[in-house]
Amino acid sequence: MTNYNENEKLRKTDINWYPGHMAKTKRLVKEQLDLIDLVYELIDSRIPYSSKIKDIDEIIKNKPRILIFTKYDLCDKQETDKWINYYSKLGFKIIKMDNTNSNIKQLLKLTDELMESINKKREEKGMIKRKTRVLIIGIPNVGKSTLLNKLVNKKVANVGNKPGITKQLNWIRINNNIELLDTPGILWPKFDDEKIAFNLASLTAIKEEVLPLFDVCEYILNTLYKYYPKILKERYGIDYIDDDIVETMDKIGKKRGALIKGGEIDYDKVINIILNDIKGENFKNITFDRIEEYE
C-alpha cells in the first residue's frame, strides 16, 4: 500500500521513452520500404492526434496510405469525427474500424483501388502486376494485431491490452492478392508535450512505468470530469473532483472497497481500479484529444 500527498506527486516534461526495439523497427521498415506498395497507418479513435506517429512521413516517405481509426466503438464520435474531417481535408483516405463493425470489406476495396493505380503505373513502365504489399504501422496497443486477425479471419497475432505484444517484423499473407508486413508498435524518441504523454499513458500506449501511475490516474479523472462528468457519476458516484485529488481517490476507494485493515484507503488498489477500467474498456464514448486545442 502506498500513501500519496502533494509533495510526492511528480510532473515530467521532455519525457524520454524510446526502447531499442523501436529504433530497430524504424530502421528495418526503411530497409523494406522498396518492397511496400501502400501503408495501413493505425491511430486510436480516442486520441486521434496523440496516437499519430509524429515522424511517420520520414519513415514511410511518400507511400500511399490508408489512415485507419481503430476502436471507433469506444470513442466520442462527435469529437472524433471532427478529426476524421480534419484528416480528410489533408487528403488522407480514412477507414473507421471497431469490434462490432470492422469494415474489412471496405478496407480491402479501398486497398484494391489504390493498388489498381499503382499497377497502372507499373504497366506504363513495362512492369508486370504483382501482389499488393502492405505495411501496417502504429503506436503500441493501437489495434494492429486485432485488425490483422480480422483480415485473415483467424488468429495469427497475439492480442493484448498492454503495449509491446508484437516484437518483430513479420510478413503475413492476407489472401491471394495481399501480403502484409506486421510491425511492432513504435513511438518517437521524446514527448515534449506533456498532454500527449498523458494521453498515451492513459490509454495504455506506453508502459506503466514511464509516468507515475498516480499522476496518470489524476489525469484520467480530471479529463473525464472536464468532458464526461456523467461517466464519473455512473462509475464511481463522483459529482465533482476535489481540489486535493487524494480526497477524490478516497471516495473511489470507499465506494469500490479498496481498503486495508483499519478502514484506510489502499491507493494502489484505487489506481488499479481506474487503470483497469480503461484497459477493460469500461469507459466508452470518450475522446481525450480535442481538435480545438490544436487548431
Side-chain angles (χ1 to χ4, degrees):
M1 193 276 291
T2 305
N3 291 313
Y4 296 94
N5 58 48
E6 288 297 321
N7 293 326
E8 290 171 331
K9 292 183 187 179
L10 177 63
R11 291 291 183 221
K12 291 185 178 181
T13 57
D14 292 340
I15 300 156
N16 289 288
W17 165 248
Y18 201 58
H21 78 272
M22 293 186 180
K24 180 181 178 182
T25 296
K26 288 185 179 182
R27 176 176 57 79
L28 293 176
V29 167
K30 291 176 181 178
E31 290 176 358
Q32 300 270 0
L33 202 58
D34 286 343
L35 301 175
I36 299 299
D37 296 306
L38 59 94
V39 176
Y40 292 164
E41 180 188 356
L42 277 59
I43 59 176
D44 189 321
S45 294
R46 298 167 296 178
I47 46 173
Y49 180 80
S50 297
S51 64
K52 196 171 189 309
I53 298 172
K54 296 301 174 273
D55 54 353
I56 183 73
D57 293 337
E58 194 271 332
I59 299 170
I60 66 172
K61 306 303 181 183
N62 60 348
K63 294 292 181 180
R65 82 180 93 171
I66 299 173
L67 189 61
I68 300 174
F69 278 68
T70 63
K71 308 181 184 182
Y72 187 71
D73 51 322
L74 301 178
C75 76
D76 178 343
K77 294 175 178 57
Q78 182 176 346
E79 293 299 325
T80 295
D81 285 352
K82 295 177 183 178
W83 285 103
I84 290 176
N85 182 58
Y86 168 77
Y87 287 126
S88 294
K89 288 182 177 179
L90 291 178
F92 287 96
K93 305 290 186 182
I94 292 173
I95 296 287
K96 295 179 286 190
M97 290 281 178
D98 60 40
N99 292 325
T100 57
N101 180 17
S102 61
N103 280 342
I104 292 297
K105 289 183 179 180
Q106 184 182 349
L107 174 61
L108 293 177
K109 181 176 183 244
L110 183 54
T111 299
D112 288 340
E113 290 173 358
L114 290 173
M115 193 59 193
E116 185 177 342
S117 174
I118 293 170
N119 274 324
K120 186 176 181 180
K121 293 178 181 178
R122 289 176 62 85
E123 288 179 358
E124 291 172 352
K125 296 178 181 179
M127 303 167 70
I128 62 172
K129 291 184 179 180
R130 72 179 187 188
K131 290 181 180 179
T132 306
R133 292 170 177 169
V134 180
L135 168 70
I136 183 170
I137 193 168
I139 66 169
N141 202 29
V142 74
K144 294 186 299 296
S145 297
T146 299
L147 173 60
L148 180 58
N149 290 334
K150 288 180 179 179
L151 282 166
V152 298
N153 201 26
K154 63 181 179 180
K155 184 174 181 180
V156 295
N158 291 324
V159 177
N161 58 8
K162 61 181 180 179
I165 296 295
T166 304
K167 295 295 186 183
Q168 59 189 7
L169 276 66
N170 296 301
W171 280 102
I172 299 168
R173 176 178 292 180
I174 300 302
N175 54 39
N176 291 331
N177 299 317
I178 300 176
E179 294 178 345
L180 189 146
L181 182 59
D182 186 26
T183 62
I186 58 176
L187 291 164
W188 44 104
K190 185 172 65 175
F191 305 131
D192 52 9
D193 185 329
E194 188 180 73
K195 181 176 176 62
I196 289 176
F198 275 99
N199 279 339
L200 292 170
S202 297
L203 296 175
T204 66
I206 55 179
K207 290 186 177 180
E208 294 177 347
E209 63 266 23
V210 177
L211 289 169
L213 296 185
F214 186 91
D215 287 7
V216 173
C217 288
E218 180 179 4
Y219 178 82
I220 291 170
L221 292 175
N222 281 325
T223 304
L224 289 175
Y225 181 61
K226 181 178 180 180
Y227 299 131
Y228 308 105
K230 186 177 179 182
I231 290 178
L232 286 181
K233 177 66 174 178
E234 292 174 347
R235 193 73 186 169
Y236 302 130
I238 294 173
D239 292 305
Y240 61 92
I241 298 293
D242 298 274
D243 292 336
D244 183 354
I245 197 67
V246 173
E247 294 180 14
T248 299
M249 293 279 201
D250 289 346
K251 294 174 184 177
I252 295 174
K254 291 175 182 177
K255 181 172 180 61
R256 300 293 291 272
L259 306 172
I260 58 176
K261 187 180 294 186
E264 292 186 16
I265 303 298
D266 187 333
Y267 293 104
D268 288 333
K269 284 187 177 180
V270 174
I271 286 170
N272 285 332
I273 286 169
I274 296 169
L275 294 177
N276 286 333
D277 275 340
I278 288 278
K279 292 178 182 178
E281 300 177 352
N282 293 321
F283 297 140
K284 300 187 187 304
N285 305 318
I286 61 171
T287 295
F288 281 9
D289 275 332
R290 297 302 170 109
I291 199 164
E292 296 82 6
E293 298 180 4
Y294 298 99
E295 286 181 330

